[in-house]
Structures are given as C-alpha cells and as structure tokens.
Amino acid sequence: MTVTATKFELPAIKHSFDLTEDQRMIQEMVRDFAHAEVAPLAHEIDENHRFPEETWKKIVELGLTGIPFSEEMGGSNGGTLAYCLAVEEISRVCGSTGLTLAAHVSLGTYPIYAWGDHLRDRYVPHLVAGEYMGAYGLTEPGAGSDAGGTLTTAVADGDEWVLNGRKCFCTNANFAGTFIVTAVTEKGIGAKGISAFVVPRETAGFSLEKGEKKLGMRGSDWASLVFEDARIPRDHLLGPEGEGFKTFMRTLEGGRVSIGALSLGIAQGAFDCATQYAKEREAFGKPLAKQQAVGFKLANMGVEIDAARHLVYHAARLKDAGVSYGVAAAKAKLYASEVAMRATYDAIQIYGGYGYSREYPVERMWRDAKLCVIGEGTSEVQRIIISRDIIGTL
C-alpha cells in the first residue's frame, strides 16, 4: 500500500470556523487546484530543487496573488483571512508553493501597497497581476533575528540613493521584479537610522548570487542580493527616512499571519496523510488507527491543529478589522509553526520506516516545517514579543 502526494485525496476540513460563503468558495477552489495541479509536482520539485514556474502561472491566473488587495489595484478585496485560506490549502500538499505565494503577497507586495504612497500605482498592479514577483531582503550574513544590526548602507547622492551591502535567504529573488530592502541611512543611532527602499531588478550595481541548498522548501526559490554602488531613484524610499525598521517590523506582523497559515497547512497535510495511512495499514491483526498508541497520536494532532487554526484565523480577522494584531500574529505563528513540527514528526512515527523514506510525503513535510519556526522571526523572537506584552515594562 502506497500513500503518495499524487494519490492522496484532500478531505474537507470538518469545521467551518465561521467562514463566509465567499471564503468557503475560495477555500474549496484552492483545495481543488492544490489537489489537481500542485500535489502532482510536489515530490519532483523537492527532489530537483526546482521552482515550478508552470504552477506559479496558474496561481496568478486564479487570482490568488490579488486576494487581499483592493480592486483599484487589480485585486479582489477578499481580505487577509481568505488569503490565508489559500496559503493553507496549497501548503497542505506543498509547503514550497505555499511559501512562494506567502512571500510574494505578504513580503514582496504588501509593504508597497501599505506604505508605498507614490510607488503604489507604479508597482502594486503589476505585482498583483503576477507580471513579476516581489521579494523582501532583510536578513544579512551577520544580521538575522537582530535586524537592527543591518550593515547595508544607503547614502543620498543628488536625486539618487547609493546602496552597498548584501542580503541573504531572499525568497523569490531570481524571479522578482522588485525588491524591498533595508539599509542604514544614518549611522550610530541603531534601528532609528534604518530606512526601507524599493529596488527595481534592473538597477545598475545590483546583482544576485545563487542561494545555498536547503533542508526543506526546496521547490521555493531564494538567492542573495548584492549591492555594489547600486543607484536607485531618491523617491524609492519606502515610508519616511529612518522608519525602515518600523516598516519592516509591521511587515513581519502580516508575514507571521501568513507563515501561521503555511504552518497550519503543512500540519493538516501531515495529519491527513497519517490518518489515511493509519486506517489502511495493518499491524498485529488490525489497522494502525485502532492501536491506542497511534490513535492517541492522531487525537493530539487533531486537537493541536484545531487550536492553531483558531489562532491563525483570529489574527487574520484582527488584521482585516484594522485593529492591532501584532501579538495575535506572534501567538499564531509561534503555536502553528511548532504544531507543524510536532504533527510532521508524529506522522513520520506513524508511518514507521516508510515515514523515513522519500517515497512518502511526510518526510518532506517535516523538512518543510522547519522553516516555519525560523522564518518571519524565530520561535524565540515570538516568545519575546508575547512575554513583553504580558509583563509590560518593569
């Protein structure tokens, strides 16, 4: 008996979680798309470290890149929750493809949409239409969780900014037409001296370097960004000068909601696979699912996934309501990502030796889940945010 990503049926999620009719339609549409178009390629793109351009084109054609954006910008005004449903459903079968969509929308497009002012009309409609991808460069070789330690610099020179430095682990970089990056514009004052910029791909002095091979998310693209006296127009400052750190932190809040949805999808996919396998595989004269040790694992997975779903959907709804959601996003991202790690680990245990084989999808899901406890702020960073909200300033 073989349970593979290409043969696996995606069951409907049992609970609606008070979704609107439009949201349920998006959920069902993306589920069907994920099963028919994304799942059959999931194993191959992981094995070959290949970005599936053909799948991306279909994602664009479905309008998934425009779900949370206004109709004026070419979007469908569907909101954050509907967008998270799309990320979740795709991630149930392929974390790499879910990450590609999440990074493009939450990190590569949303900051320009929210804070771009005069840049909004110039770039957002093209990003929403999928004419090119968007990418986001914050992490540097010496500045990860400590984003305030940014070393890339931007110096004003007439009507231009001159950028020097490098960024790493930049998702979608090789296919992006615009890059949002941070750089120091005033040295010696820490985070208050960091500004954010939009860098067009064709910028002279800007180049890409091939990204390292990855543990998971192998079907998503990444690269390093290199700035060597790269000159961009003076008006490509994103938000006020000196507030780039704040802009990026607000961007990450939204990104955490989408990473929560990505994590939730991976966890649900592992749970679905493990449940199907446990029902079909027999040991000691009965299905694995009837072995108490296995049944209890499935029970724990189901409870934690439902709890994660409540947290992720709640954070998305807060964002849609236009109220403060940063702490809720941190809670959702922290819990959902760690649930994804536990769910994929337990799925491998249920499969036994087969779970360790690359013939089955759960080992890939486990590798993909690891990114979720690192990206958009590690679990440790989320706990700092949450604990500060609890204890305040002492």
Side-chain angles (χ1 to χ4, degrees), residues 113-142:
Y113 178 75
W115 304 292
D117 297 329
H118 59 285
L119 298 173
R120 188 177 298 112
D121 290 340
R122 180 170 178 178
Y123 291 115
V124 172
H126 301 287
L127 289 162
V128 168
E131 294 175 22
Y132 47 76
M133 300 183 78
Y136 171 96
L138 174 62
T139 303
E140 298 187 359

Side-chain angles (χ1 to χ4, degrees), residues 16-205:
S16 68
F17 289 84
D18 297 322
L19 299 180
T20 67
E21 185 61 31
D22 286 346
Q23 289 165 346
R24 280 194 294 270
M25 287 176 61
I26 289 172
Q27 184 184 53
E28 292 170 5
M29 175 191 72
V30 180
R31 181 180 301 138
D32 291 343
F33 167 73
H35 177 66
E37 304 288 348
V38 181
L41 295 179
H43 176 76
E44 181 267 316
I45 65 173
D46 175 76
E47 282 287 302
N48 296 315
H49 297 255
R50 182 179 74 86
F51 177 76
E53 293 184 68
E54 64 273 39
T55 303
W56 178 248
K57 291 176 182 178
K58 293 172 183 177
I59 286 173
V60 170
E61 289 171 2
L62 278 179
L64 304 189
T65 51
I67 291 176
F69 302 111
S70 68
E71 293 179 3
E72 181 184 11
M73 291 289 109
S76 59
N77 203 32
T80 306
L81 179 53
Y83 155 61
C84 284
L85 293 171
V87 172
E88 177 187 352
E89 290 298 328
I90 290 174
S91 303
R92 285 175 75 183
V93 298
C94 182
S96 292
T97 307
L99 176 62
T100 297
L101 176 61
H104 172 75
V105 172
S106 293
L107 303 183
T109 305
Y110 183 77
I112 306 176
Y113 178 75
W115 304 292
D117 297 329
H118 59 285
L119 298 173
R120 188 177 298 112
D121 290 340
R122 180 170 178 178
Y123 291 115
V124 172
H126 301 287
L127 289 162
V128 168
E131 294 175 22
Y132 47 76
M133 300 183 78
Y136 171 96
L138 174 62
T139 303
E140 298 187 359
S145 295
D146 179 18
T150 296
L151 296 179
T152 298
T153 60
V155 178
D157 183 18
D159 59 358
E160 295 179 315
W161 291 98
V162 182
L163 277 63
N164 282 283
R166 63 188 298 121
K167 304 288 183 178
C168 57
F169 310 145
C170 186
T171 303
N172 298 340
N174 287 299
F175 298 89
T178 55
F179 300 79
I180 303 169
V181 302
T182 50
V184 176
T185 49
E186 185 174 352
K187 296 181 179 180
I189 59 173
K192 293 182 180 179
I194 295 175
S195 301
F197 301 88
V198 176
V199 180
R201 185 182 185 90
E202 64 274 11
T203 298

